[in-house]
Structure formats: structure tokens, C-alpha cells
């Protein structure tokens, strides 16, 4: 891969020139001499770039390196001033590397930004992309960090820090609740034998925790217990695993009966405390367990220990308040709740409990205010119940005499009340010993006494507080015998978005600031437990600028936890009130709260760093709300360039760099007189950070961000050994054009194979996956921007192209094929096809299917019945994009019974409505009310039978034969269908699939696999409603998915039509009736909902067009970039097309030929590299109908040369790896054999024989089915 090409000699010469110019000034001369770099220093600096971040020591014995980096930065900055920024682009790239290693992230970002703006092919420089990704990662800009890291792996899969990238991608996807992607990257990191921030057991812990996060509790329990069997398991890791197991037993019902679970939970937590007695989180969990079994004394002691170990926590105080309620101590409960809401104003559970307390004390007005505060909290998911309660209290106020307020919220807000900490009576437990607690007032009574003692010196507000406390005390004493309700409001809700219910994880290192903690009150279940101080962090990645090394307070040596509620209560958020003002974060303010998922979020942490926990909402990507255009930190103006040389750091503490400039992917405009980029003039140029960054304190740990914390070993390996072992993968940067750049193929596609192989010699070791099969000189694939100019609003609901058939001749009329495959028509509805061709649709009816194969497997998706044009969260409170559907399986017979019973139930409901119509004259009003209820939930649950395989021609002979009546271009198998040339079946693509539906069954938004066309026929008897968006706009929908924390390729989503309308996205909307065929053109985005009871059949086709092939290859490369498996093996298909098809379209020919050229080059290059290394290549061959092969680790297609483990080869199971994954597992491929499936001579022959032919010779090849069937 390309690296920086600036020479240090050049930099030094500039410095020397400046020294001569200042020769008349002694002081200036001295200064210039200090900026000169010796030859030895140049050599050392030549080996320093972003790849060493985290693996080079800049403290203790690394102080010389740090001093040298600082000197180099000053030299470079001086040069920039002298030349007014007119230096070569690689100069800025190297400056970015130096600042990154010095952890000067604002300057690193500035330098990288300038390099990006000057270097058109920046994407070829993997080292630059890696450094940029590290900076984004530091700033919590996960959206951009993910993009940068993915591009590194795309342009150079064998990148020496690929393991570190997979680790960070796993962490970020975990934050984004994309658990499948997170698991995949953690597994890729686990198999890599290269050094990394985390050890093997720590990565295994992340994988175990992902199972817990996904509620796969048995898998999680097994993984945790297996980890405990590991020899020499670090104490901190062991403590966190035990803590996870303990909390999981407390929360998860399926792990046994309550008594047994609580017994195990307490045992695990006690063992965890033996390994790490300073874990405040574990003490809190233990208190919750004791509270649940009625051991009040032990619970109080545990809570006290929790506060003593981990500082103030809103959740802990809320739980203490609950315990006081249970003990009929309302005064103490009140003060505990005040502590909770003062520590976290957004703690919904504390506000609700406080409201319940006021309500029990006959103070409905104050209760209403508390309930209203609860509804304003982001963590509150039961707003409808609270709204009902508020209305009830407001209506009942007039029926109750007014009482003297216990605590007048209308006069003195709770957040202005004193923050008493000593809430636990001395009769039960000892006083708190933490110095931080002692600085606060010790109890309500003592606080009252202090106010009395200073009555003469009180200001008006304090006098008012004194009066309220006196009234409060008297009133509460009078009602002290009152039993307060507990958990009377159910706060749990599955409607909360997963990213709001999940406590995220990260691996970040020391955080220099005060910790903050969360807990769950009302005996609700926190969503996770967290890890110990040194190794494990239960937090999302809150990257904060480090303010020092070694100045951390003692309390920060312990894990803090963000515990959400379960069994009812939603978690809370970190608050800036609990943070020291001197440690303001440089990252945007983010949502930090968890939900009621009883899973852990402990994160494994690197080496001896202490960790903390927080919940972070990742920074949104482009086009997201609340985005702002930050300052461009460098421009060509010398005045702006001056910010690069030191002034930038002066403003760090004041938030000057709270907003990081996005330089990826951007089109930068150069500004000579301003350091601000205009949002209208920059495309994708900002990292949109929250506007309230100045008031944010984001907790972070910096195991990944703080390279200085890893001083002596990396996963037990000495640094010297690491550096020496890395020499083959980490060559010194020469500051000249890197000879290891993957060469572009200069050969023409019209060159013969012999010339191609000759040109391939000595090009280096580049496996098949290391370069795209499409154009070499193109950057990594990216979603398209919205077409310009935007469509007017009256064009956003275009009419759907429809063809009405009257007879068989119409169906076989050639222009019909041309019309459907025209890229200008994203969808075509062929009306009356079944009638025109006399198709027997009854063969696909539910009755016939049951009679044919009643035990055939059906995949079932459980969904919510909603209006077709809307998608609400399960509570019906807001429209969302996420479309939940849980998977299960049944048989055709059982689903047929469900389908029939659903129809009968609907008939009964219709009869009831008719009866109501007779009783109520206002039919429209009744209909409106019913519609309103449907839209606002609760929604009815339905089951959708999907992906029913009809590929077996023995079981479904009649059905498949009936489909041969169709025109050739829509048939399952035809010579003009690219998918018919694969040579093997891909279920649902070149085979038929059946869908059995009830009203409301949804096929969520998607593009077809590899952008192939799709055919769908409605069997009936009911209709389906379709929504279609042209291929040009899929990038806009991808942005919407990212904004809504969804994976465009893998998640289940249902677009909000209002969002699409605002974004000027056209939507085709139509009804598919029985017998209608819907043709979905290549790349078209669509989603479907059944209106009635119906069955559908569908499959994919690949027209032999340049547009189809181009879109298929583009999606193949996009899938590779996003680490998603391509269902269609495009390399394998391209070679089969070259063998079987004669092509007359020059564009299609050139694309196929180029793919063959690239693959031929890669196969030859890899074969020569293996032979040179002494690795034997064993002939294996291929069998008939053998499917294409994919890497069992990363799922990229593997063609020709298969890397198979020795064990699987001896067992004939053939577990295939790609070259890159094989080398990561075994650097010298000692545990692998290489199997060859094609002789190079055969590939050369296919390549040479694939030539462009004329249209006349193509006719029979294009339309043989048409000639056979035409009447």
C-alpha cells in the first residue's frame, strides 16, 4: 500500500535555508539549529507512522522518541509557515502521524485533513486511513471511524494492524447494536496471531458478552464458564466474568427458580469481590440481590460499600430510596431520591418513585410535577401510563382538600435542594468514609440543624429552604407509619430502541476525571454488570482527551457502571453535574443510558489500565440531525496555517476542538480568508457533533487511545520481540514513493493471457481478496449521493409502469423484455399475466401445498400488524425505521392452519363491526376511532411464512413445470439469465421460493442480493401493496438507516414515507393483484406488505446487460467493504459466463474481460509467491455442481487456490480460508495445505477465447427459449 512520500531531507533543507536567512540574528540562528534534523534522527523518524500507535513507548525509556517527535513536529510546522503551506501533500500525512503518536489529536486531524484535500488518491494510502480512523475513534466519531477502518481492510486486507482494526470495529458495532457485525469482527480479531491491544481472553470475553447482549443466555453462560477454566486468567478478568455470571443469575428467569438463582448470584458476586474488593458496581449488584431476598441489613451495607468504592451514583441512591420505602422511612427515601435526581436529572425511575412517594403523602401537585419530569426523560418508555396517571391526579385534585406541601417543588426546584449523602442511619450501618462524601452534608436532620444554627446568616433562598424542611419533617413524621407503594408503575417496554436499551462497550484505558455511576431502582434489573478496574470496561467508547498521566484520583481506579433497570425500570444517564469542570470532554454530548436488557456490558480492557463505564450514542453520520459544519483547521492561508504550529492546543480546554472536522469522504473547498467551511460548499465534510459539547463530560478509558499505558509488553510479548517479529509486515517508511504499492494493471484487456502472465511476474504477494475485481484506479465503493437536481414535490409519487396483457402473444412480444430491463423503469407491473398464459395458480394455493408436502419446512417471522404506510414502535408512541421480526420455524400444514384460523377470526371481527354499525349511526366516527387505535398500539401479532424452498423438482414437479409457460426473460432457468450459468443452486435466487401471508405480513426494505432483478407473482386470493424506490436513491436510504442505527444490508427496516418525501425521494406505490407479475429491476429498493390472505412465488434473474453486471459487481465490492458475504460469487460467475456465453455488447464485454484479467493476474501472482516460499500447491479439481467457495472466517469468495487446514483436508471436510485469513492464523501457512481447482492453462484458454462477437451471431444465443415457445 502507498505510504507517505515526503523526504526528511527536504524538510531539513528548508530548515537550513531558513537558518541562512536568519544568520544575522544570533537568537534566530540558535533556534533554526535546534530545528535541524540529523541523519540519525531522519532514519529513526522514517520508521514512525500510525501503525506504531499503541506500540511505541513515549514515556520512561521512550522519552527520547517523544522528544524527537516533538522536534520533528516543530520543524515541519516551521516549514509550513515559511512556505505558506505550499508543501507536498505527503508532508502533511507524516505530520499527522507524528501528532497522532504524540496524542495531539486536534493537530493530527488538521494535518490529515490537509493531506486528504491535496491527495486525490488518498484512499491508496492505508497507513493514512488507519491514522485517520484512530483519530475519529478517539473523538467518538464512530460513523467515520468505521468507514476509514473498512477502507483500510478493503485496500489492504493484509494490513499489519488488521487485528487492531477488527477489534475496534467490533467495539464500535457493539456500540451501534449491530451485534452480528460486532461478533464477526471480534472473531476475525481472535484468529489473528498478530499483536493487539487486547489479549485473547479479553476478546473471548467480548464474544461471550455479545451472546448475553443478544439474550442468548445459555451460550453466554457457557462461554463465561469456559473462560473461567483458562489457566493464568488475570484477576480483573476473572472478577468481571464472575460479576457477569452473578448478575445474569439475578436477572434471567430461564437460569432456574428464584431461590436457586439468587443463591448462585450471591456466590458469584462474592467471589468477584474476593478478586476485586474495590468494585463499587459489584457491591451495588450484591446489594440488589440482598434486597430481593429481604436481607435489608446486608443490602444497606452493600450499598454503602458501593458508594464508598465508586463515588456518587444516581442508580445506587434510587435503590437506597426504594429500600427506605420498603422499611417505611419516607423521609430518608425522599432524600435518597433527591440525591438521585440531582446526580442525574434524566433518571426517569427516580422521578417516578419520587412521584409515587409524594402521591402517597397526599401531595398530588408535587407528584404530577415528578411524573412530568419522568416523561421528559429519554430513558422513560412508559409515557402513556404516566400520562394517564397525571390526568387522574389532575382530575382528583378538586375532590381532595389541599394539604400543606412537604417539599414545595413549585417554590424550590429539587435540583436546587442540598445534596445530602449520609442517608443510612448509624443504627444500621456505619457512616460513609469516603472523603468525597464527607465534604457533603451528612443527613437531612443535620442539615436542618445547621440551617437553624445559622439562621441569622441565611439568605432568602436558604430561609425558604429551612421553612420547607421543617414542614417536610413534621409532615413526614406524622405519616411515618404509612406503607408506601412500590413498583406500582410498570416501566419496562420493549419499544425502546436497542441502542437506548444497551449499555455499550469499549476498550479505552485511563480516564482522568471523576467517575459517574448508574443503577436501577425499584428492584428493577440493570441491563448489565461491568468489569473490574484494570482490565474490563463496561462502557461505550467515550474517547476523552487525556489531561495527564498519573494524576487520576483514587476513585477512578475502580470501575463505574451504567446500570439500567429491568423488571420494570429504565436506566439513567450520566450528568455533567457529577463531573469535574476541568475534565470536559472534547467529544460531542451523547445520549448515555441503558435499558431493561438484563445483560452485561463489561468490556475487556488492555493491560494495567483502569477502566470506567459509560453509555455513548455514537456520533451521527452525514445528513444526520443536529449536524454542524466545524472549522477547517488548516487552509492555504498562512494565518490559518499558524494554527497548526501550536495555537490549536491552546484552545483545547475551551472546546475549540470540540467539533472535529470530517475529512472523509469530502470535497474540500479552499478558503483563503476564512477558516470555516460552508455547509453548502462541502460535500460530506463534517463530523456532525452535538451542539452542546461545552457542557458534556463523556467518560472514557484509553487502553486503545493511550499508547503510553502499554509500556513493556503487548499480550505478554516484549516490545523488542514485537518490533522484530513485525518487520516483514511493517517495513520502515522511506518517505519516498513506496515500492510496495499494488501496481495497476497496465495491460490491455485485449492482450493475450501469455502477455498478462508475463507482466504479472515479480509484482509481489497479493491474494485474490487484496484488490477489487473492478477498476484499479477507482476509490473504494461508496453509496451514491442523491441525484441532482432534486425532483419537485409533485414528482415524488410517480405512476407505476404497468403493462396489461390480453393474450399469450402479448406476453412473448419482444418489446416487453426491453421495457422491463430498461434502467429507466425501476419496476414494471405486468397485469393479467396468469390469465394471458393460462397459468394454473391453484398449484401454489395453500390447499395444494398441504396436499403435496404438508411437512415441508417454513420459516416464520413474527411481526406486528401495522398500517402499510407507517411503522411504529411497539408502544405506538413514535414512528421508527426499525422493523422487528423474530424468526422461528414450522411446517406448511401448521402454517396453513394458522392462515385459515386468521381468516376465520377476521370474519368474526367483521361480523362484530357490522353489529356495531347497527348500534351506532355515526359509522365514520367509529371507523376513525378504530383506525386510531391501530395506529397507536398495542399492535396485534401476526406470523409471516417466508422463504419456503421449492427447488426440489421431485417434490414440486407440477409447480415448477407450470412456470416453464412464462416468457424466457422471466423464467427461473434460461440461456439469457446470468444466474443460470452459476452451475449450482442458490436458494431463492435461481430457485423458486414461496411466501404464505396473512394481512400485514411484511417484507422489509431491501435490494436484491447483488442487485439482481427479481420476479414476483401473486397467487392470491388477496392483494399486496408495494413500495419502490429507484436504484439511484439507495445511498439516501443507506444514510437514513445509519441515522436510525440500522445496517442497510443486514438489518430489518421499514422506511418512513415522510422522511423520504422530505429528502425528495420518489416512491412508486401500487397494488399487486392475483395473477400480476412484478418485475423489480436491477438495484431497485422495495418493501412489501400483504393486504389480504395470499401466497406469492418469487426468484431472481440476471438479464445479460451491462447495467445488470455493473450493478452486481459494484454490490460485490460494497459487500466486501462492509464485510458482508456476497450471495452471488461474481468471480466464479464471470468465468462461467466467459465459458458459456458469447457477448456482443462492448460495455458488458469489457467489464467481464477486465474481471478475468484481474483474477488471472491475482491467481498467477499468488501461485508464484507460494512456490517461491516453498509452499506446495496440490491439485484438487472441481466436481459437477460444486458450489463456489467462501472463506470460512471473513466470507470473501475464494477462487482457484483454496487454503485448507491440514485437519480438515485429512478429514475431507475442506474448511476453506482465503490467503489473508490463513496467514493471520498461521504466518508461514504451516497448518495449511493449498488446493488448486483450475489449471492455469485452462484459465488462460478461457481468457483468450472470450472475445467480442457481432449482433448477428448473438441472436440464437440470446433468445433460444423465445424461439422454442413462440406460438
Amino acid at each position: 500500500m502507498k505510504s507517505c512520500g515526503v523526504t526528511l531531507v527536504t524538510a531539513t533543507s528548508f530548515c537550513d535555508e531558513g537558518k541562512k536567512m536568519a544568520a544575522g540574528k544570533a537568537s534566530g540562528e540558535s533556534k533554526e539549529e535546534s530545528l535541524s534534523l540529523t541523519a540519525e534522527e531522519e532514519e529513526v523518524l522514517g520508521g514512525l507512522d500510525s501503525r506504531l500507535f499503541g506500540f511505541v513507548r513515549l514515556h520512561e525509556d521512550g522519552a527520547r522518541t517523544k522528544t524527537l517527535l516533538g522536534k520533528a513536529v516543530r520543524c515541519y510546522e516551521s516549514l509550513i509557515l515559511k512556505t505558506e503551506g505550499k508543501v507536498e501533500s505527503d508532508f502533511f500525512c507524516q505530520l499527522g502521524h507524528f501528532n497522532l503518536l504524540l496524542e495531539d489529536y486536534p493537530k493530527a486531524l488538521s494535518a490529515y485533513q490537509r493531506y486528504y484535500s491535496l491527495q486525490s488518491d488518498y484512499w491508496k494510502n492505508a497507513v493514512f486511513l488507519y491514522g485517520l480512523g484512530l483519530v475519529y475513534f478517539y473523538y467518538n466519531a464512530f460513523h467515520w471511524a468505521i468507514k476509514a477502518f473498512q477502507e483500510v481492510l478493503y485496500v489492504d486486507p493484509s494490513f499489519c494492524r488488521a487485528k487492531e482494526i477488527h477489534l475496534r470495529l467490533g467495539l464500535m458495532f457493539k456500540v451501534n447494536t449491530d451485534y452480528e457485525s460486532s461478533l464477526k469482527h471480534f472473531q476475525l480479531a481472535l484468529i489473528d496471531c498478530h499483536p493487539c491491544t487486547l489479549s485473547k481472553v479479553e476478546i473471548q470475553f467480548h464474544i461471550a458478552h455479545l451472546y448475553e447482549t443478544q439474550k442468548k443466555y445459555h451460550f453466554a453462560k457457557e462461554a463465561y464458564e469456559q473462560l473461567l477454566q483458562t489457566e493464568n486468567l488475570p484477576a480483573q478478568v476473572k472478577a468481571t466474568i464472575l460479576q457477569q455470571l452473578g448478575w445474569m443469575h439475578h436477572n434471567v428467569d430461564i437460569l432456574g427458580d428464584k431461590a436457586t438463582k439468587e443463591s448462585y448470584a450471591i456466590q458469584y458476586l462474592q467471589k468477584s469481590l474476593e478478586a476485586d474488593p474495590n468494585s463499587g458496581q459489584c457491591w451495588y449488584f450484591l446489594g440488589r440481590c440482598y434486597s430481593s431476598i429481604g436481607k435489608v441489613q446486608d443490602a444497606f451495607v452493600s450499598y454503602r460499600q458501593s458508594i464508598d468504592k465508586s463515588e456518587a451514583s444516581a442508580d445506587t441512591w434510587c435503590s437506597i430510596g426504594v429500600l427506605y420505602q420498603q422499611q417505611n422511612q419516607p423521609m430518608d427515601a425522599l432524600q435518597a431520591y433527591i440525591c438521585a435526581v440531582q446526580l442525574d436529572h434524566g433518571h426517569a425511575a427516580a422521578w417516578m418513585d419520587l412521584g409515587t412517594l409524594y402521591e402517597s403523602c397526599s401531595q398530588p401537585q408535587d407528584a404530577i410535577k415528578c411524573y412530568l419530569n419522568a416523561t421528559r426523560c429519554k430513558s422513560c418508555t412508559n409515557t402513556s401510563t404516566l400520562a394517564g396517571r397525571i390526568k387522574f391526579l389532575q382530575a382528583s385534585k378538586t375532590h381532595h382538600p389541599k394539604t400543606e406541601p412537604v417539599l414545595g417543588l413549585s417554590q424550590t426546584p429539587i435540583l436546587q435542594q442540598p445534596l445530602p449523602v449520609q442517608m443510612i442511619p448509624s443504627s444500621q450501618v456505619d457512616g460513609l468514609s469516603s472523603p468525597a462524601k464527607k465534604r457533603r452534608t451528612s443527613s437531612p436532620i443535620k442539615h436542618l440543624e445547621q440551617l437553624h444554627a445559622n439562621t441569622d446568616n441565611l439568605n432568602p433562598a436558604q430561609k425558604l429552604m429551612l421553612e420547607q424542611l421543617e414542614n417536610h419533617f413534621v409532615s413526614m413524621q406524622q405519616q411515618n407509619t404509612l406503607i408506601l407503594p412500590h413498583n406500582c408503575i410498570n416501566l419496562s417496554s420493549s419499544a425502546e430502541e436497542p441502542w437506548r436499551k444497551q449499555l455499550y462497550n469499549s476498550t479505552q484505558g485511563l480516564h482522568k476525571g471523576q467517575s459517574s455511576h448508574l443503577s436501577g431502582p425499584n428492584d428493577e434489573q440493570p441491563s448489565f454488570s461491568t468489569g473490574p478496574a484494570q482490565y474490563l470496561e463496561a462502557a461505550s467508547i467515550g474517547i476523552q482527551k487525556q489531561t495527564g498521566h498519573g494524576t487520576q484520583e483514587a476513585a477512578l481506579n475502580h470501575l463505574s457502571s451504567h446500570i439500567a433497570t429491568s423488571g420494570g425500570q429504565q436506566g439513567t444517564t450520566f450528568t455533567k453535574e457529577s463531573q469535574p469542570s476541568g475534565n470536559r470532554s472534547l467529544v460531542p454530548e451523547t445520549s448515555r443510558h441503558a435499558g431493561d436488557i438484563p445483560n452485561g456490558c463489561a468490556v475487556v480492557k488492555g493491560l494495567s489500565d483502569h477502566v470506567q463505564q459509560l453509555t455513548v450514542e455514537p456520533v451521527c453520520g452525514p445528513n444526520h440531525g443536529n449536524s454542524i459544519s466545524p472549522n477547517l483547521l488548516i487552509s492555504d492561508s498562512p494565518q490559518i496555517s499558524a494554527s497548526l504550529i501550536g495555537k490549536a492546543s491552546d484552545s483545547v480546554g475551551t472546546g475549540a476542538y470540540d467539533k472535529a472536522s470530517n475529512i472523509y469522504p469530502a470535497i474540500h473547498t479552499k478558503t483563503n480568508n476564512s477558516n470555516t467551511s460552508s455547509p453548502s460548499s462541502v460535500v460530506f465534510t463534517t463530523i456532525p457533533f452535538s451542539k452542546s459539547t461545552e457542557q458534556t463530560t463523556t467518560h472514557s478509558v484509553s487502553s486503545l487511545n493511550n499508547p503510553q499505558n502499554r509500556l513493556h509488553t503487548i499480550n505478554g510479548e516484549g516490545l523488542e520481540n514485537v518490533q522484530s517479529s513485525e518487520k516483514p509486515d511493517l517495513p520502515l517508511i522511506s518517505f519516498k514513493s513506496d515500492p510496495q504499492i499494488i501496481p495497476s494493471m497496465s495491460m490491455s484487456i485485449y492482450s493475450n493471457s501469455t502477455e498478462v502472465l508475463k507482466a504479472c511476474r515479480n509484482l509481489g504477494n497479493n491474494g485474490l481478496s487484496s484488490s477489487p475485481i473492478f477498476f484499479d484506479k477507482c476509490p473504494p465503493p461508496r453509496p451514491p449521493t442523491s441525484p441532482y437536481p432534486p425532483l419537485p414535490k409533485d414528482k415524488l409519487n410517480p405512476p407505476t409502469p404497468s403493462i396489461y396483457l390480453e393474450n399469450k402473444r402479448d406476453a412473448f412480444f419482444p418489446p416487453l423484455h426491453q421495457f422491463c430491463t430498461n434502467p429507466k423503469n425501476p419496476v414494471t407491473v405486468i397485469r393479467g399475466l396468469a390469465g394471458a398464459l393460462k397459468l394454473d395458480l391453484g398449484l401454489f394455493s395453500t390447499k395444494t401445498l398441504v396436499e403435496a408436502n404438508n411437512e415441508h419446512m417454513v420459516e416464520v417471522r413474527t411481526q406486528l400488524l401495522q398500517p402499510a404506510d407507517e411503522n411504529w414502535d411497539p408502544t405506538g408512541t413514535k414512528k421508527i425505521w426499525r422493523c422487528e421480526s423474530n424468526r422461528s420455524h414450522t411446517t406448511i400444514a401448521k402454517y396453513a392452519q394458522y392462515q385459515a384460523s386468521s381468516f376465520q377470526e377476521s370474519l368474526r371481527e367483521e361480523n362484530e363491526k357490522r353489529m356495531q354499525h347497527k348500534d351506532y349511526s355515526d359509522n365514520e366516527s367509529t371507523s376513525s376511532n378504530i383506525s386510531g387505535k391501530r395506529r397507536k398500539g398495542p399492535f396485534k401479532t401476526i406470523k409471516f411464512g417466508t422463504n419456503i424452498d421449492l427447488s426440489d423438482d421431485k417434490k414440486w414437479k407440477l409447480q415448477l413445470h407450470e412456470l416453464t409457460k412464462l416468457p424466457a426473460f422471466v423464467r427461473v432457468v434460461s440461456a439469457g439469465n446470468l444466474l443460470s450459468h452459476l452451475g449450482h443452486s442458490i436458494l431463492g435466487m435461481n430457485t423458486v421460493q414461496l411466501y404464505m401471508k396473512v394481512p400485514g405480513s411484511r417484507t422489509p426494505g431491501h435490494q436484491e442480493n447483488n442487485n439482481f432483478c427479481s420476479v414476483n407473482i401473486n397467487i392470491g386470493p388477496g392483494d399486496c401493496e408495494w413500495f419502490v424506490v429507484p436504484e439511484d436513491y439507495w445511498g439516501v436510504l443507506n444514510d437514513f438507516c445509519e441515522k436510525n442505527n440500522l445496517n442497510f444490508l443486514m438489518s430489518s427496516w421499514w422506511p418512513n414515507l415522510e422522511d423520504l418525501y422530505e429528502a425528495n425521494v420518489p416512491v412508486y406505490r401500487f397494488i399487486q393483484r392475483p395473477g400480476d407479475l412484478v418485475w423489480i429491476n436491477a438495484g431497485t429498493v422495495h418493501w412489501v406488505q400483504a393486504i389480504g390472505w395470499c401466497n406469492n412465488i418469487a426468484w431472481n434473474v440476471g438479464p445479460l446487460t451491462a447495467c445488470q453486471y455493473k450493478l452486481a459487481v459494484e454490490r460485490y465490492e460494497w459487500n466486501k467493504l462492509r464485510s458482508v458475504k456476497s450471495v452471488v460469487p461474481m468471480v466464479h460467475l464471470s468465468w462461467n459466463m466467459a465459458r458459456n456465453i458469447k457477448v456482443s455488447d462492448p460495455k458488458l464485454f469489457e467489464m467481464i474481460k477486465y474481471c478475468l484479467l484481474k483474477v488471472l493476474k491475482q491467481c498467477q501472482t499468488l501461485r508464484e509467491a507460494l512456490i517461491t516460499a516453498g509452499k506446495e500447491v496440490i491439485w484438487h479439481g472441481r466436481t459437477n455442481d460444486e458450489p463456489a467457495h467462501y472463506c470460512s472466517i471473513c466470507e470473501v469468495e475464494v477462487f482457484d487456490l483454496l487454503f485448507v487446514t491440514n485437519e480438515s483436508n485429512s478429514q475431507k471436510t475442506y474448511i476453506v480460508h482465503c490467503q489473508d485469513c490463513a496467514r493471520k492464523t498461521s504466518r508461514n501457512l504451516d497448518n495449511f495445505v493449498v488446493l488448486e481447482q483450475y489449471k492455469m492453462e485452462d484459465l488462460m484458454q478461457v481468457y483468450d477465447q472470450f472475445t467480442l462477437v457481432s449482433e448477428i451471431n448473438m441472436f440464437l444465443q440470446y433468445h433460444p427459449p423465445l424461439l422454442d415457445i413462440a406460438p
Side-chain angles (χ1 to χ4, degrees), residues 23 347 366 402 647 653 740 944 988 992 1040 1056 1131 1133 1176 1206 1247 1268:
H347 200 292
D366 291 332
K402 293 185 178 180
K647 295 182 180 180
Q740 295 187 355
F944 170 29
V992 181
F1040 273 118
N1056 185 342
V1131 172
L1133 176 60
E1176 181 183 5
N1206 291 330
Y1247 179 83
D1268 292 341

Side-chain angles (χ1 to χ4, degrees), residues 36-52:
S36 299
L37 297 173
T38 65
E40 181 182 357
E41 290 173 335
E42 294 172 19
E43 182 179 359
V44 174
L45 289 170
L48 301 177
D49 60 36
S50 62
R51 290 172 291 187
L52 292 180

Side-chain angles (χ1 to χ4, degrees), residues 425-493:
S426 57
S427 60
Q428 295 179 341
V429 295
D430 297 332
L432 300 178
S433 59
S434 171
K437 286 37 166 213
K438 292 180 180 179
R439 288 194 296 265
R440 302 178 183 145
T441 38
S442 58
S443 73
I445 297 177
K446 290 184 178 180
H447 183 65
L448 186 61
E449 292 174 352
Q450 290 176 1
L451 290 177
H452 271 298
N454 296 279
T455 303
D456 297 335
N457 300 324
L458 297 181
N459 57 36
Q462 291 173 327
K463 290 180 180 179
L464 179 61
M465 184 183 301
L466 173 61
E467 180 181 357
Q468 290 172 345
L469 284 175
E470 290 174 340
N471 293 334
H472 178 144
F473 184 79
V474 173
S475 176
M476 295 299 286
Q477 287 298 320
Q478 291 173 351
Q479 302 183 40
N480 197 40
T481 59
L482 188 65
I483 298 178
L484 300 178
H486 179 56
N487 277 345
C488 61
I489 299 177
N490 180 17
L491 304 177
S492 64
S493 171

Side-chain angles (χ1 to χ4, degrees), residues 1032-1215:
D1032 294 342
Y1033 291 87
W1034 80 265
V1036 180
L1037 273 74
N1038 179 74
D1039 290 341
F1040 273 118
C1041 286
E1042 291 182 345
K1043 179 179 179 180
N1044 288 275
N1045 218 36
L1046 295 166
N1047 187 320
F1048 176 82
L1049 296 176
M1050 305 299 294
S1051 298
S1052 178
W1053 44 272
W1054 192 266
N1056 185 342
L1057 296 182
E1058 296 173 359
D1059 292 341
L1060 300 185
Y1061 183 82
E1062 291 297 325
N1064 294 302
V1065 176
V1067 179
Y1068 295 83
R1069 184 173 180 178
F1070 60 92
I1071 301 297
Q1072 179 193 25
R1073 297 182 176 86
D1076 290 348
L1077 182 149
V1078 174
W1079 171 275
I1080 294 295
N1081 220 347
T1084 296
V1085 186
H1086 56 286
W1087 55 103
V1088 190
Q1089 177 158 322
I1091 299 176
W1093 290 262
C1094 61
N1095 293 347
N1096 289 67
I1097 54 174
W1099 58 91
N1100 293 103
V1101 294
L1104 196 60
T1105 64
C1107 177
Q1108 173 64 88
Y1109 185 82
K1110 176 178 179 291
L1111 290 175
V1113 173
E1114 286 178 350
R1115 180 48 50 90
Y1116 181 88
E1117 296 299 323
W1118 173 254
N1119 289 343
K1120 188 189 300 183
L1121 175 73
R1122 302 303 295 265
S1123 299
V1124 173
K1125 180 179 179 179
S1126 284
V1127 176
V1128 180
M1130 290 305 298
V1131 172
H1132 173 83
L1133 176 60
S1134 297
W1135 282 95
N1136 280 357
M1137 290 170 63
R1139 292 185 183 94
N1140 304 334
I1141 298 176
K1142 300 297 182 181
V1143 177
S1144 63
D1145 183 348
K1147 292 183 179 179
L1148 177 60
F1149 169 77
E1150 289 175 1
M1151 287 188 288
I1152 297 174
K1153 190 76 171 181
Y1154 186 83
C1155 176
L1156 303 182
L1157 177 67
K1158 290 293 299 293
V1159 174
L1160 190 65
K1161 180 198 75 170
Q1162 293 170 7
C1163 290
Q1164 177 65 16
T1165 302
L1166 178 57
R1167 180 180 279 101
E1168 289 184 355
L1170 291 171
I1171 295 174
T1172 302
K1175 192 67 179 179
E1176 181 183 5
V1177 178
I1178 303 174
W1179 170 251
H1180 183 68
R1182 285 181 59 86
T1183 61
N1184 293 332
D1185 300 327
E1186 181 178 348
H1189 293 281
Y1190 292 86
C1191 176
S1192 59
I1193 303 298
C1194 68
E1195 296 184 309
V1196 301
E1197 183 185 359
V1198 183
F1199 181 79
D1200 186 23
L1201 298 176
L1202 312 180
F1203 292 79
V1204 180
T1205 60
N1206 291 330
E1207 182 180 1
S1208 66
N1209 182 55
S1210 61
Q1211 297 175 355
K1212 306 300 180 183
T1213 55
Y1214 303 117
I1215 300 177

